[in-house]
Amino acid sequence: MSEADDDEMDVRRAVVLDYLAHGLSDDGRPQYAKSPAGYAVGIEDFQLYQVAFDEDERITIGSEIVIEPPAHRDVVTEAHRVEYDDLSSGAQSELEYVVADLVEENEERFVDFYNDAQPITLRLHQLNLLPGIGKKLRNGILDERKRKPFESFEELSERVSGLHDPDEILVDRILEELRDDDLKYQTFVGRREQQQDQ
């Protein structure tokens, strides 16, 4: 692997959830000293960020930005992690749409979750962490994937009786993980870090 490939793997990208041209409301500095700010969600691991933007750049909600490493940033001057409750109301309301878009745009990755999900304990399977998936649906997914891996959300719905909107189920789980940081199992949020720690 070349150095360029190695660098590209460590680049963290995010999607802008809210853009505050006049800075954060809780920033006590005078208006002229504030820089444009906003909130973003990581594309790979759904981490949430508060960011400061370069004053000369015009950013829109839905723009893709580079968070890390600082050397790769073009419009972001600072970024740090925040919790769901720290987001502006605008960012919170945008989050569901952006997560849904990310799941749709990365369909293969998320369909592979259904193909690759494993037991967590003797009694609990990763699939059971998804909202609305009980024993019967889980077994239907496991039986079907033994025959042949799933290739799309549409195929999942067609082959597994009772499994409607498998993409929306994933969006609901991701949002649940973002909103409730006390969940015992994080399946999607922060996965990149968990993999690096192993």
Side-chain angles (χ1 to χ4, degrees), residues 110-128:
F110 290 103
V111 168
D112 281 347
F113 173 77
Y114 284 100
N115 286 324
D116 302 334
Q118 297 297 316
I120 299 171
T121 66
L122 289 174
R123 295 174 161 243
L124 183 65
H125 197 282
Q126 278 184 312
L127 291 170
N128 293 124

Side-chain angles (χ1 to χ4, degrees), residues 125 127-128 133-146 160:
H125 197 282
L127 291 170
N128 293 124
I133 296 201
K135 197 173 177 180
K136 186 177 177 193
L137 270 179
R138 178 200 66 205
N139 290 343
I141 294 166
L142 295 176
D143 289 345
E144 278 298 321
R145 80 180 193 187
K146 278 182 203 162
V160 181

